[in-house]
Amino acid sequence: MKSLLFLLALSPTLLVAKTVQPKKVMHAQDRDYHAHYSHSSNHQNVKEEIISSSADATAQISVTVTLQISTDALSEATSQGGGSHSHARLSYLDNNRIQITEDIAKGEGEHLETLLNMMHLRQDKKSLKKIQNSFDELIYLSHNDFLDKLESLI
């Protein structure tokens, strides 16, 4: 019913409508782009290339310096200990929680041993076995509680 009403309302407009004739026709031609647009953004002269490579080099130096500062800060935080739960320990745990959990399930592994080393905890067979036996308790703990539990186990 609605479509019939719509067609009835539209029909006078369709009866009066005419065909549209174009007033101008434009034709495209292929030309050498750079010959006619020497100031375009795609066209680079020697000065622009030098500035561009200088900017790239500066960006790479900035990233390298930033990474070095971050690495130095992490190393310093790790060596100072920073209390029982330093930022470095929490960050390491946050970034490697899955691998640490897998290592706990196996009773050994690089990620778990690195965390224990950062916490200045023993990594002998007996300690690793204790941690492995506490797997079910450890996996559901928050980062702080996880670190507390590791300290209490060893």
Side-chain angles (χ1 to χ4, degrees):
M1 182 71 176
K2 287 183 182 181
S3 60
L4 182 62
L5 288 175
F6 176 74
L7 286 176
L8 286 174
L10 190 61
S11 60
T13 306
L14 294 173
L15 293 172
V16 180
K18 297 179 183 176
T19 305
V20 177
Q21 297 294 325
K23 292 198 178 211
K24 277 188 173 180
V25 176
M26 298 182 74
H27 299 281
Q29 294 179 352
D30 290 333
R31 293 188 179 177
D32 183 22
Y33 178 79
H34 293 292
H36 298 287
Y37 297 98
S38 61
H39 299 292
S40 73
S41 61
N42 290 334
H43 181 74
Q44 287 190 340
N45 60 27
V46 175
K47 283 184 181 178
E48 289 171 342
E49 289 175 9
I50 291 172
I51 291 171
S52 176
S53 36
S54 295
D56 288 343
T58 303
Q60 290 175 1
I61 290 169
S62 296
V63 169
T64 304
V65 169
T66 303
L67 287 175
Q68 184 60 44
I69 290 170
S70 298
T71 305
D72 292 345
L74 179 63
S75 176
E76 182 179 329
T78 304
S79 65
Q80 290 178 350
S84 62
H85 305 311
S86 71
H87 177 72
R89 293 174 190 161
L90 290 169
S91 178
Y92 182 79
L93 179 58
D94 187 46
N95 291 322
N96 298 288
R97 183 73 184 246
I98 294 172
Q99 293 87 349
I100 292 169
T101 303
E102 290 172 352
D103 289 352
I104 291 172
K106 292 186 289 187
E108 65 180 2
E110 179 182 348
H111 291 90
L112 175 60
E113 290 171 9
T114 300
L115 179 63
L116 294 175
N117 188 37
M118 290 174 76
M119 297 176 69
H120 308 290
L121 297 175
R122 291 187 314 272
Q123 302 169 33
D124 57 5
K125 292 275 187 196
K126 183 179 176 183
S127 299
L128 292 173
K129 188 67 174 168
K130 246 185 195 180
I131 294 170
Q132 184 181 26
N133 290 338
S134 301
F135 177 82
D136 291 334
E137 296 173 56
L138 289 166
I139 61 170
Y140 298 111
L141 296 175
S142 69
H143 290 348
N144 285 320
D145 293 340
F146 181 89
L147 295 174
D148 286 339
K149 184 66 176 177
L150 279 179
E151 286 176 339
S152 70
L153 287 171
I154 299 176

